[in-house]
Amino acid sequence: MKFFKKLFTRPEPPPESQNLLEIAGNVGPLIEKTATEIFLTYQYELFRKPFTYIIPAVWGVKKNGELSHVQKEISAKIAPIIDDAIEAFGFEKLTAAQEFALGYMVRGLIISKINLMMEMVKNQKTQPQKASTGTEDRLKHMEPIGNA
């Protein structure tokens, strides 16, 4: 009887993996939501500027000069998200280096997601032009000529 019970019951995952999934389930959507909101809110400004425009905005600092009004607004939205993401990990006490490293990873992911969304929109704008050339239809109806 014990044999069948062991055979047909699933073992529960260890608590560490449950915590791992819980943290990822909290942090992932938070980062995704933030990147999407920033992109949708500021997309017109982002497309008019070089792709590196988003980097100082997410970090909240600019090497030479001051941040633009839009960059300051983006930075203000990012700062609480970084704190929420770090808090989701549930660490008792972090050193300054550990906190910076987590913030660095979260900011890098947000920058990457926003730039990916921008490139996806650019590619979607060029897709109808590619499809309208009719090359796909020509290839379907192509017949070989000559002998090999």
Side-chain angles (χ1 to χ4, degrees):
M1 189 71 157
K2 288 182 182 180
F3 173 75
F4 289 114
K5 188 174 184 178
K6 287 182 181 180
L7 184 65
F8 292 111
T9 58
R10 292 184 185 176
E12 290 192 28
E16 295 86 24
S17 66
Q18 288 176 345
N19 289 341
L20 178 67
L21 296 175
E22 180 181 333
I23 292 168
N26 291 335
V27 174
L30 179 67
I31 292 171
E32 187 72 35
K33 179 183 173 218
T34 303
T36 304
E37 284 178 1
I38 289 171
F39 174 74
L40 292 175
T41 304
Y42 302 104
Q43 64 182 322
Y44 299 112
E45 182 73 20
L46 293 173
F47 280 118
R48 283 190 240 129
K49 302 289 184 182
F51 72 95
T52 56
Y53 179 81
I54 193 67
I55 296 168
V58 171
W59 278 95
V61 292
K62 194 172 186 179
K63 190 174 183 178
N64 299 325
E66 288 191 27
L67 296 174
S68 70
H69 176 69
V70 171
Q71 286 175 319
K72 287 178 184 177
E73 287 180 11
I74 292 171
S75 179
K77 291 183 179 189
I78 296 291
I81 299 306
I82 301 297
D83 294 337
D84 291 346
I86 290 173
E87 187 178 306
F89 283 96
F91 294 126
E92 294 294 323
K93 203 169 197 178
L94 287 175
T95 66
Q98 290 170 329
E99 189 172 334
F100 178 80
L102 286 171
Y104 180 86
M105 289 187 286
V106 171
R107 283 182 174 97
L109 187 56
I110 291 172
I111 291 167
S112 297
K113 286 188 173 289
I114 291 171
N115 280 330
L116 175 67
M117 287 181 224
M118 290 174 63
E119 290 302 316
M120 288 174 64
V121 169
K122 288 178 188 176
N123 286 338
Q124 285 179 348
K125 288 182 179 181
T126 61
Q127 289 299 325
Q129 294 172 354
K130 289 179 184 175
S132 66
T133 61
T135 55
E136 293 174 3
D137 291 334
R138 283 188 251 153
L139 288 174
K140 287 179 184 176
H141 303 292
M142 187 178 285
E143 295 182 23
I145 299 175
N147 297 345

